Amino acid sequence: MNKVDQSTHKSKENTSEQKLNSSPKQSLDLDKNHVTVGKPFSDDSKMTMRNVDVFYADKQAIYDVNLDIAKNEVIAMIGPSGCGKSTFLRTLNRMNDTVDGCRVSGTIAMDGENLYAPKLDVVELRARVGMVFQKPNPFPKSIYENVAYGAKIHGLADSRVDLDEIVENSLRKASLWEEVKERLHQPGTGLSGGQQQRLCIARAIAVSPEVILMDEPCSALDPIATAKIEELIEELSQNFTIAIVTHSMQQAARVSHRTAYFHLGKLIEVNPTEQVFTLPEHQLTEAYITGRFG
Amino acid sequence: MNNQSENLSRIQSSLKRRNRSEALFQWYGRTAIFIGLAAVAVLFFDIISKGHGAFRATYIKLDVHYDQSLIGIDNLADAAQLVDGNWAALSKAAIRGNFPDVSGRRDKRKLNKLLSNGAGFDLKDRLVENPQLLNKTEAVWILADDDIDTYFKSWLDNNPYDARLTDKQVQWIDDLYQQGRIELFFNANLFTRGDSREPEQAGIRGALMGSFLTLIMTLMLSFPIGVSAAIYLEEFAPKNKWTDFIEVNINNLAAVPSIIFGLLGLAIFINFFHVPRSVPIVGGLVLTLMTLPTIIITSRAAIKSVPPSIREAALGMGASKYQMVLHHVLPLALPGMLTGAIIGMAQALGETAPLLMIGMVAFIVDIPSGFSDPATVLPVQIFLWADSPERAFIEKTSAAIMVLLSFLIIMNTSAVWLRKRLERRW
Ligand SMILES: Nc1ncnc2c1ncn2[C@@H]1O[C@H](COP(=O)(O)OP(=O)(O)O)[C@@H](O)[C@H]1O
Ligand SMILES: [Mg+2]
């Protein structure tokens, strides 16, 4: 068991993994010829990633990931901390651009359009791919201003009435309207943690994105607030494609259709969520979901 | 069991030692604070005890007859005649009228010396404002000469200083006192007049205006430049050798002695660009050089203290970097920036050395009314007065220091207040 724990240390990567690797068909030689097991591809894909590598300066954080995200699916990304889930998620709306020294190679496309093409404008991309962060981060402005912000900067509302409507609809979709309709002009930072996170979701969906990225959206919340957000994700999945990073396997099991397991920067397995949690194909996945490391 | 009780006794004995060193340390701290406070108290006591006298001035009540023939004019509305009028004759006649027995040129001159030599002009101003007084007589409180002022105040304090007076003058003052004709009043001249060679007529208005204009100039230049530089360096500039180099040099600049900035200003602004010397423009330019590093450094700190999560939120919504800065970072960093600016301005207000280099040390009587009028500033005025031989300037110097210190205290307190008031907690 200890040996497996040490596998999170890079230097011991190979030795420990070889010990794990008892069945030859699942080669765990995580070098060049590593192949993701399961069903990483889809016929109806919203986003496609091929041979994606991500580097922080000289340090490689993501190794050769190939994955499709299907239209209107909820895909969960799980894995031990530091395995590159956030890094991978942030390649999808190019938030990694803001990190000095971060470099992405390979192709990432949405509806067939290369997201890393030189002529692509990240402003437009981020209007189409919204993001919700780990720690609720409403702007220190009013609830109304928070939700209206995206519509304002992208010029989506022609009038004050339009804007009011966008704000109300977004707050309703985020199941927050009833709680805040009386105090739209009070600061968003005055809400509880769970409300703040739903406000951030409302803010993200106010510009009607096609994809929503969520990076451990419940890790700072209590169980009741978490349950509300999970319910919300389920509702949102009817209209949006959602990629969610979570450290909670129960959460992944509850909200997602497919689950992707990352390990040390590599995409190990992608399968329907049910299968991942009952019959994982890969030994590393199994080791992780049975709590042998994390 | 044995082991535990042994440990306990060891802990207890070490506890005593630890408590003792903590008590000692606290005692050191309190002593240090006490010494600091005592130094401030001594400073304030010294300045206030020397300077409080300057807020009152000695006046002598005399019956003034606005005698047209004495002045030698026929039209009060004619500015040219006003200038030529023999106004001093009015005050001289008034004081002689009060001491009709004094004879002899020497004594008469000494008698005239009781009054400020600007007394005649004060009477002129009064007459011009109230033309109906012409050829009438009224009792007027007339400003006394600085030597009289010094003597009278010291005499009231039972510690008379009469080195610069003759026995007769002392006698006259005594007579005036008996008649209730000499008294101390609030010294409005201190706040309404510019500098003068005559201490009783000298005021800080000119220096205050000069300081004000110079500071406005400094603020208008250094705040926008400093804030733009800080924003660029924090948010937009790539992190490389060049920006490191710039960062180090901004810090170096903050440590450069201010007189060097004065020399630089002299060489660049005056000798090269031919900006006139002694004016608030050039003073503001030089002080801008000096305060820029302070403003850049505090603004950068304010920008840095805006949490990265806010930036991520904005960028994640599709805001451009410029929008992120303008909509989110700047409003949150502004209180910190303003605090930095106030502290920078307080530094600039107290600065003397660089202004000496650019000629703001000139003796200027007129109160400046624009950025291109010759001016001096408050600390330089203090420097000039402290250097003057007249005894009466001692209290003026301390009074000017009190005014300067009050401004500095107000500015620094408002900086602290602003920071407490506007700074957000996340
Ligand atoms: N800004 C960064 N600069 C350098 N290395 C980073 C940065 N962010 C993450 N990393 C590294 O990349 C790896 C993956 O990190 P991350 O994507 O945050 O993992 P996860 O979200 O799965 O916990 C980690 O080894 C981490 O140390
Ligand atoms: Mg993460």
Side-chain angles (χ1 to χ4, degrees):
Chain A
M1 221 63 352
N2 283 336
K3 290 270 161 54
V4 179
D5 276 334
Q6 285 166 359
S7 70
T8 50
H9 296 281
K10 245 189 156 178
S11 54
K12 303 194 174 155
E13 189 178 314
N14 285 334
T15 53
S16 57
E17 272 153 7
Q18 269 150 17
K19 292 217 169 95
L20 251 173
N21 184 13
S22 50
S23 105
K25 69 168 185 183
Q26 292 170 3
S27 166
L28 262 188
D29 184 14
L30 294 181
D31 287 330
K32 279 287 158 221
N33 41 9
H34 154 74
V35 178
T36 305
V37 302
K39 304 181 181 66
F41 303 117
S42 154
D43 298 333
D44 183 24
S45 78
K46 179 73 188 166
M47 302 191 97
T48 51
M49 291 131 255
R50 294 291 177 269
N51 312 106
V52 175
D53 292 318
V54 183
F55 302 83
Y56 288 112
D58 298 331
K59 189 172 156 260
Q60 189 162 3
I62 293 290
Y63 296 82
D64 191 29
V65 168
N66 293 279
L67 177 68
D68 287 348
I69 299 178
K71 286 207 171 86
N72 284 34
E73 81 164 334
V74 179
I75 181 165
M77 305 180 187
I78 60 170
S81 91
C83 68
K85 306 179 295 288
S86 301
T87 303
F88 179 69
L89 193 73
R90 291 159 62 96
T91 58
L92 302 181
N93 67 344
R94 290 185 55 177
M95 277 302 275
N96 284 329
D97 289 15
T98 63
V99 177
D100 272 332
C102 183
R103 195 158 52 76
V104 178
S105 69
T107 50
I108 302 178
M110 177 161 64
D111 297 331
E113 184 188 356
N114 180 8
L115 300 186
Y116 284 77
K119 68 174 193 334
L120 181 126
D121 194 330
V122 291
V123 166
E124 186 200 315
L125 170 62
R126 288 178 193 154
R128 294 174 65 192
V129 181
M131 186 155 194
V132 176
F133 297 84
Q134 182 162 358
K135 191 173 148 260
N137 57 355
F139 300 126
K141 301 182 187 237
S142 73
I143 294 170
Y144 185 95
E145 287 293 326
N146 264 285
V147 183
Y149 185 67
K152 273 188 186 166
I153 57 172
H154 297 303
L156 302 183
D158 293 326
S159 65
R160 182 79 194 185
V161 182
D162 271 7
L163 198 59
D164 288 348
E165 200 179 305
I166 290 176
V167 169
E168 179 174 342
N169 283 342
S170 312
L171 285 169
R172 278 190 193 284
K173 280 190 213 152
S175 324
L176 193 60
W177 175 252
E178 292 303 325
E179 290 160 65
V180 301
K181 64 181 177 192
E182 305 297 335
R183 46 170 171 160
L184 286 179
H185 297 285
Q186 285 170 25
T189 40
L191 297 172
S192 74
Q195 289 173 324
Q196 287 191 18
Q197 195 61 298
R198 277 181 283 149
L199 177 61
C200 292
I201 293 173
R203 180 175 69 188
I205 59 185
V207 294
S208 311
E210 297 155 39
V211 180
I212 303 175
L213 311 176
M214 298 187 175
D215 191 352
E216 305 198 23
C218 302
S219 65
L221 306 182
D222 62 66
I224 294 173
T226 302
K228 281 199 179 146
I229 303 262
E230 287 177 1
E231 213 173 289
L232 180 57
I233 291 172
E234 196 144 350
E235 279 167 34
L236 293 175
S237 68
Q238 288 159 14
N239 299 312
F240 304 96
T241 303
I242 298 174
I244 178 170
V245 169
T246 174
H247 64 261
S248 151
M249 284 173 277
Q250 291 87 337
Q251 183 167 73
R254 282 191 296 262
V255 302
S256 70
H257 308 138
R258 274 197 308 162
T259 296
Y261 174 66
F262 282 81
H263 189 89
L264 290 173
K266 287 169 182 144
L267 181 54
I268 304 299
E269 171 170 353
V270 183
N271 263 322
T273 300
E274 194 123 312
Q275 185 188 340
V276 169
F277 288 105
T278 52
L279 251 180
E281 249 178 79
H282 201 288
Q283 288 219 323
L284 278 172
T285 319
E286 187 185 358
Y288 180 71
I289 63 165
T290 53
R292 278 188 272 159
F293 52 78
Chain B
M1 211 59 227
N2 195 16
N3 213 347
Q4 285 178 351
S5 66
E6 193 189 311
N7 275 356
L8 196 63
S9 72
R10 278 185 185 214
I11 288 171
Q12 279 166 345
S13 68
S14 84
L15 212 56
K16 250 182 233 153
R17 205 181 56 239
R18 281 188 272 175
N19 286 345
R20 211 171 333 112
S21 21
E22 180 172 327
L24 197 65
F25 179 78
Q26 288 200 8
W27 188 83
Y28 283 145
R30 287 200 205 106
T31 315
I33 289 173
F34 175 77
I35 293 174
L37 284 181
V40 171
V42 167
L43 175 82
F44 273 76
F45 176 77
D46 181 59
I47 290 170
I48 292 173
S49 63
K50 274 190 195 143
H52 75 278
F55 294 100
R56 297 207 291 170
T58 307
Y59 286 82
I60 296 173
K61 185 161 94 174
L62 296 172
D63 299 317
V64 176
H65 179 56
Y66 296 95
D67 186 342
Q68 192 168 5
S69 60
L70 210 54
I71 310 168
I73 61 168
D74 46 50
N75 182 6
L76 276 180
D78 183 353
Q81 283 195 20
L82 285 182
V83 174
D84 289 339
N86 184 8
W87 301 100
L90 282 185
S91 54
K92 282 178 189 164
I95 186 86
R96 264 182 238 156
N98 206 56
F99 295 98
D101 306 337
V102 175
S103 60
R105 276 179 64 164
R106 228 183 90 85
D107 284 355
K108 280 184 181 169
R109 205 163 60 234
K110 285 288 172 202
L111 187 62
N112 292 338
K113 276 265 173 94
L114 290 189
L115 300 179
S116 160
N117 68 359
F121 297 104
D122 293 348
L123 292 175
K124 175 193 85 174
D125 292 342
R126 182 157 173 78
L127 183 59
V128 170
E129 261 172 50
N130 308 287
Q132 77 280 4
L133 287 172
L134 195 61
N135 292 320
K136 303 234 170 62
T137 303
E138 73 163 346
V140 185
W141 286 100
I142 297 177
L143 187 62
D145 185 69
D146 59 299
D147 288 331
I148 310 303
D149 183 63
T150 307
Y151 168 75
F152 184 59
K153 283 174 183 162
S154 62
W155 180 78
L156 285 178
D157 287 343
N158 293 320
N159 184 20
Y161 172 84
D162 56 9
R164 288 180 55 83
L165 303 185
T166 65
D167 292 347
K168 278 195 177 150
Q169 281 179 311
V170 171
Q171 181 57 48
W172 293 328
I173 293 170
D174 202 40
D175 291 348
L176 286 168
Y177 187 70
Q178 301 303 331
Q179 298 164 12
R181 283 179 180 273
I182 184 164
E183 221 174 287
L184 292 178
F185 289 107
F186 174 68
N187 184 6
N189 289 332
L190 185 64
F191 299 100
T192 57
R193 291 195 177 175
D195 198 9
S196 168
R197 296 275 184 230
E198 303 295 333
E200 79 276 6
Q201 295 172 47
I204 56 171
R205 180 63 171 272
L208 269 182
M209 275 307 287
S211 275
F212 177 73
L213 292 168
T214 308
L215 277 194
I216 293 284
M217 191 76 201
T218 311
L219 186 65
M220 284 190 324
L221 289 171
S222 62
F223 192 67
I225 299 177
V227 168
S228 322
I231 292 174
Y232 178 76
L233 286 173
E234 261 328 298
E235 301 286 349
F236 295 97
K239 303 273 172 286
N240 58 24
K241 267 187 295 180
W242 282 107
T243 42
D244 284 350
F245 179 76
I246 291 172
E247 165 135 30
V248 168
N249 279 293
I250 288 173
N251 292 331
N252 283 343
L253 221 52
V256 170
S258 56
I259 195 154
I260 311 282
F261 288 114
L263 286 169
L264 189 72
L266 179 64
I268 295 178
F269 302 128
I270 295 180
N271 291 346
F272 188 76
F273 286 110
H274 299 291
V275 182
R277 43 177 71 231
S278 309
V279 300
I281 295 177
V282 71
L285 285 168
V286 166
L287 292 179
T288 296
L289 294 178
M290 209 197 76
T291 44
L292 257 184
T294 310
I295 293 189
I296 294 178
I297 291 169
T298 50
S299 297
R300 289 186 70 174
I303 294 171
K304 270 203 191 100
S305 76
V306 175
S309 64
I310 300 289
R311 291 166 223 264
E312 287 206 315
L315 292 176
M317 286 305 299
S320 65
K321 216 162 179 186
Y322 170 76
Q323 287 172 323
M324 170 193 90
V325 171
L326 200 69
H327 299 160
H328 302 287
V329 177
L330 211 50
L332 295 176
L334 206 58
M337 292 173 168
L338 288 178
T339 309
I342 295 176
I343 290 171
M345 288 305 109
Q347 273 176 12
L349 175 61
E351 200 50 69
T352 323
L355 300 179
L356 301 183
M357 291 289 114
I358 51 161
M360 291 193 87
V361 67
F363 172 71
I364 291 153
V365 178
D366 293 328
I367 293 166
S369 58
F371 292 106
S372 52
D373 290 348
T376 188
V377 294
L378 208 45
V380 174
Q381 185 71 75
I382 291 167
F383 169 77
L384 285 170
W385 281 352
D387 221 23
S388 300
E390 287 88 347
R391 191 183 169 90
F393 273 125
I394 294 175
E395 63 175 23
K396 296 254 169 207
T397 307
S398 292
I401 292 173
M402 283 161 73
V403 172
L404 179 63
L405 281 181
S406 345
F407 276 108
L408 291 176
I409 290 171
I410 290 171
M411 287 169 88
N412 285 328
T413 333
S414 60
V416 172
W417 179 81
L418 196 71
R419 187 163 49 207
K420 285 236 171 79
R421 183 71 211 285
L422 296 177
E423 223 165 49
R424 261 166 212 284
R425 304 260 164 268
W426 282 278

